[in-house]
């Protein structure tokens, strides 16, 4: 029987729920989706549990109606506002001289134990980005290899416990149980990045309504993540303030006339803007003013993101450049403008195409929601420990027979198999291990003029 999964992207401006059926070959098929305004949420944090819960419920119910199916468990997104990123390593001995899932699990758990977790934080993801076996400096996947010593370098993502509990409560009060929690930037990267980009090194930046989530891949794995509490809504507020108009009018102006690169013709154009101080009064505003306000905010945002990339220590390992996704990435001229700031190749990335994908989910604004579905379908990193201490791994070409489960460290009678996904239940602290039938190798500006910033102050 095919698996039905629900992904809920809990963003700062909208809640997007997607229901998909995972076919026996691991391919997802979108059955339905629902989107609702994100009430009770600000800059990635829950500010009102009752309002947030109602928004989540409405979004999920819309998806259920379209899909004509009922599902009560969900994979939910976690904003980077809650999180901190740590890198740690660990070494374990391999007495049997053969590496199985038990040894990989143990070395990852040891890395978590070695890490200095911030007070009041809990681990959400543990993602290994490098393995070393004895004298071998690098092993992409150590499963089934011979060695007496296994070392792992792990990227650990932690979340503030109190904030996470508020998020979990809002979801549960909407009538949905939590199956897994996935960092928003991680989910987005799954939806928009290719394996080739991950191997070469790439930055994925999800530019949302009130936040920007950044993460860096190198060698197939996530190695750094960061968060910025600025998004496209800040541009709207800047425009509303500078033009003395209502935010809804500013949003419309941003959408229709917001450009990061103006043509000579655009510089001579003007638009009528209704004033907030009067029901009927309007003023003529040159598009160059709109451009100045918008560009100043975008440049500041990109400069802060560039500093974060510099801080990561991975700037020289970005062979595939920068991938921008999220609603703010759709601003006219963003690719050229961002290239001038980052001084790296930049592309605007949309989610990978999948069967049943509705038109409303094909844009960059849906990257996180689609990424949650793909994560649930097994398209995550080779090995990963989640918030519930479960280890997820991609099934490799090595087939471990049921009569030789000592390599993995699981008793035979705890294995459940079917024609789709196989769930392996462990009785110790590593409570559940999931495998996916997907093979781990599948999926083959000038700079802004400084004088422009002063236009608003000169004219207003």
């Amino acid at each position: 029987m095919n698996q039905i999964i629900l992904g809920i992207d809990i963003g700062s401006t909208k809640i997007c729920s997607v229901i998909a059926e995972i076919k026996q070959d691991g391919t997802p098929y979108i059955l339905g989706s629902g989107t609702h305004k994100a009430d009770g949420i600000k800059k990635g944090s829950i500010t009102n549990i009752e309002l947030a819960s109602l928004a989540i419920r409405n979004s999920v119910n819309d998806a259920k109606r379209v899909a004509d199916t009922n599902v009560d468990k969900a994979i939910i997104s976690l904003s980077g506002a809650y999180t901190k990123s740590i890198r740690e390593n660990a070494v374990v001995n391999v007495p049997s001289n053969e590496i199985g899932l038990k040894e990989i699990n143990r070395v990852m758990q040891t890395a978590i134990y070695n890490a200095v977790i911030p007070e009041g934080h809990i681990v959400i993801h543990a993602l290994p980005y490098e393995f070393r076996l004895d004298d071998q400096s690098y092993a992409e996947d150590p499963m089934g290899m011979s060695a007496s010593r296994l070392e792992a370098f792990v990227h650990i993502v932690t979340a503030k416990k109190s904030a996470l509990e508020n998020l979990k409560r809002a979801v549960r009060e909407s009538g949905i149980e939590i199956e897994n929690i996935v960092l928003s930037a991680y989910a987005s990267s799954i939806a928009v990045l290719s394996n080739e980009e991950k191997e070469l090194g790439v930055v994925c930046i999800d530019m949302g309504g009130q936040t920007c989530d950044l993460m860096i891949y190198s060698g197939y794995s996530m190695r750094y993540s960061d968060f910025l509490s600025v998004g496209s809504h800040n541009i709207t507020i800047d425009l509303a303030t500078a033009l003395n108009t209502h935010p809804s009018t500013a949003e419309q102006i941003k959408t229709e006339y917001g450009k990061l690169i103006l043509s000579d013709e655009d510089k001579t154009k003007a638009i009528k803007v209704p004033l907030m101080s009067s029901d009927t009064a309007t003023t003529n505003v040159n598009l160059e003013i709109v451009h100045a306000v918008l560009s100043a905010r975008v440049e500041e945002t990109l400069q802060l993101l560039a500093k974060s990339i510099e801080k990561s220590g991975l700037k020289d390992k970005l062979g595939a450049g920068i991938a921008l996704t999220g609603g703010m990435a759709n601003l006219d001229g963003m690719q050229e403008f961002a290239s001038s700031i980052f001084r790296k190749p930049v592309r605007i990335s949309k989610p990978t195409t999948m069967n049943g994908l509705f038109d409303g989910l094909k844009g960059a604004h849906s990257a996180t929601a689609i990424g949650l579905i793909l994560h649930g379908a097994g398209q995550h990193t080779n090995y990963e420990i989640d918030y519930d201490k479960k280890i997820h791994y991609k099934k490799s070409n090595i087939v471990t027979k049921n009569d030789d489960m000592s390599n993995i460290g699981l008793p035979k009678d705890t294995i459940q198999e079917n024609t789709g996904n196989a769930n392996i239940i462990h009785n110790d602290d590593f409570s559940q291990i999931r495998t996916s039938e997907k093979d781990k190798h599948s999926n083959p500006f000038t700079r802004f003029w400084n004088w422009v910033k002063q236009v608003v102050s000169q004219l207003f």
Side-chain angles (χ1 to χ4, degrees):
M1 183 177 179
N2 295 335
Q3 180 187 10
I4 303 295
I5 61 176
L6 166 63
I8 308 177
D9 172 22
I10 304 174
S12 296
T13 57
K14 65 178 177 64
I15 310 271
C16 182
S17 299
V18 179
I19 298 176
E21 180 181 24
I22 309 303
K23 303 296 185 179
Q24 293 185 5
D25 63 356
T27 303
Y29 185 93
I30 303 298
L31 299 176
S33 67
T35 302
H36 196 276
K37 181 183 176 183
D39 297 318
I41 305 171
K42 186 176 182 180
K43 294 187 176 181
S45 299
I46 301 294
T47 58
N48 186 309
I49 289 178
E50 184 178 355
L51 290 178
S53 176
L54 180 59
I56 293 169
R57 182 184 297 114
N58 289 335
S59 173
V60 171
N61 286 343
D62 286 348
K64 287 180 179 180
R65 279 192 290 268
V66 175
D68 192 25
T69 189
N70 190 34
V71 56
D72 57 6
K73 290 184 178 181
I75 303 170
I76 67 172
S77 68
L78 176 72
S79 169
Y82 298 106
T83 65
K84 291 186 180 297
S85 180
I86 306 166
R87 279 180 274 185
E88 190 55 83
N89 70 299
V91 181
V92 297
N93 292 322
V94 185
S96 65
N97 209 47
E98 185 176 352
I99 296 172
L101 191 58
K102 180 180 179 180
E103 288 71 31
I104 295 171
N105 200 350
R106 184 155 54 93
V107 73
M108 291 174 64
Q109 294 284 357
T110 303
I112 295 174
Y113 179 82
N114 292 343
V116 180
I117 306 299
E119 185 177 355
H121 280 237
I122 60 175
V123 175
I124 293 299
H125 292 296
L127 305 161
Y129 57 87
E130 183 178 344
F131 289 104
R132 295 179 183 177
L133 312 177
D134 293 341
D135 296 329
Q136 184 176 342
S137 60
Y138 173 76
E140 181 182 320
D141 184 353
M143 178 71 80
M145 301 179 72
S146 296
S148 60
R149 180 177 177 272
L150 174 63
E151 183 175 10
F153 296 79
V154 183
H155 176 217
I156 301 168
V157 180
T158 69
K160 192 173 182 180
K161 187 175 181 179
S162 58
L164 184 60
E165 288 301 318
N166 289 333
L167 175 65
K168 291 163 67 175
R169 182 178 174 185
V171 173
R172 287 168 178 159
E173 288 192 3
S174 72
I176 296 296
E177 290 299 317
I178 297 173
E179 182 176 358
N180 200 0
I181 299 175
V182 180
L183 183 66
S184 296
Y186 181 29
S188 296
S189 69
I190 293 173
V192 304
L193 298 180
S194 67
N195 280 342
E196 289 80 2
E197 288 174 316
K198 294 175 185 177
E199 181 181 14
L200 290 172
V202 63
V203 180
C204 180
I205 305 176
D206 189 344
M207 311 181 77
Q210 296 181 3
T211 63
C212 288
D213 289 281
L214 176 151
M215 65 166 298
I216 299 177
Y217 271 92
S218 181
Y220 291 110
S221 299
M222 180 166 71
R223 297 188 58 177
Y224 177 82
S225 58
D226 201 2
F227 167 83
L228 188 64
S229 58
V230 177
S232 62
H233 183 66
N234 295 85
I235 299 174
T236 301
I237 299 304
D238 289 349
L239 284 170
T241 302
L243 305 181
N244 188 27
T245 191
H246 195 277
S248 61
T249 302
E251 178 68 25
Q252 183 179 356
I253 292 171
K254 180 186 72 176
T255 303
E256 295 184 13
Y257 303 104
K259 293 183 179 181
L260 290 166
I261 304 175
L262 286 184
S263 66
D264 292 337
E265 183 182 356
D266 289 331
K267 294 177 183 179
T268 63
K269 289 183 179 179
I271 58 174
K272 283 188 177 183
V273 178
L275 298 179
M276 184 180 289
S277 56
S278 173
D279 292 335
T280 58
T282 63
T283 185
N284 289 328
V285 176
N286 194 290
L287 285 183
E288 196 168 17
I289 305 302
V290 175
H291 166 77
V293 175
L294 185 148
S295 298
R297 174 62 76 174
V298 173
E299 181 180 24
E300 179 188 38
T301 302
L302 295 176
Q303 291 285 13
L304 290 172
L305 292 168
K307 288 180 180 179
S308 178
I309 295 171
E310 188 78 40
K311 185 178 69 175
S312 73
L314 298 168
K315 184 177 179 180
D316 296 332
K317 297 183 179 180
L318 306 178
I322 318 281
L324 302 182
T325 191
M328 186 173 170
N330 291 322
L331 284 172
D332 194 342
M334 177 62 83
Q335 183 174 5
E336 296 86 349
F337 195 94
S339 295
S340 72
I341 300 296
F342 293 127
R343 299 189 182 278
K344 293 279 186 181
V346 173
R347 71 180 180 91
I348 309 302
S349 304
K350 296 181 181 180
T352 184
T353 301
M354 65 174 67
N355 293 329
L357 185 61
F358 296 170
D359 289 342
L361 296 175
K362 291 182 178 180
H365 61 281
S366 299
T368 301
I370 297 303
L372 294 174
I373 297 298
L374 293 172
H375 186 283
Q379 297 186 34
H380 42 69
T381 56
N382 289 343
Y383 303 95
E384 170 186 338
I385 292 177
D386 68 15
Y387 86 105
D388 204 24
K389 298 183 180 180
K390 301 173 184 177
I391 183 167
H392 302 248
Y393 75 99
K394 288 186 179 182
K395 189 173 182 181
S396 68
N397 293 326
I398 300 172
V399 178
T400 304
K401 296 181 179 179
N402 289 348
D403 59 358
D404 189 23
M405 293 312 297
S406 59
N407 184 46
I408 297 182
L410 305 174
K412 284 189 266 183
D413 58 4
T414 62
I415 300 171
Q416 301 175 355
E417 294 185 352
N418 56 40
T419 56
N421 295 331
N423 292 326
I424 304 177
I425 311 300
H426 200 326
N427 293 328
D428 65 11
D429 290 339
F430 315 140
S431 55
Q432 183 174 1
I433 299 169
R434 293 184 175 178
T435 69
S436 166
E437 290 294 330
K438 298 286 286 181
D439 184 278
K440 66 176 183 298
H441 294 304
S442 64
N443 295 320
F445 176 156
T446 50
R447 242 186 203 282
F448 174 59
W449 309 294
N450 291 330
W451 64 267
V452 176
K453 292 181 180 177
Q454 303 175 12
V455 173
V456 176
S457 60
Q458 293 171 350
L459 298 179
F460 289 89

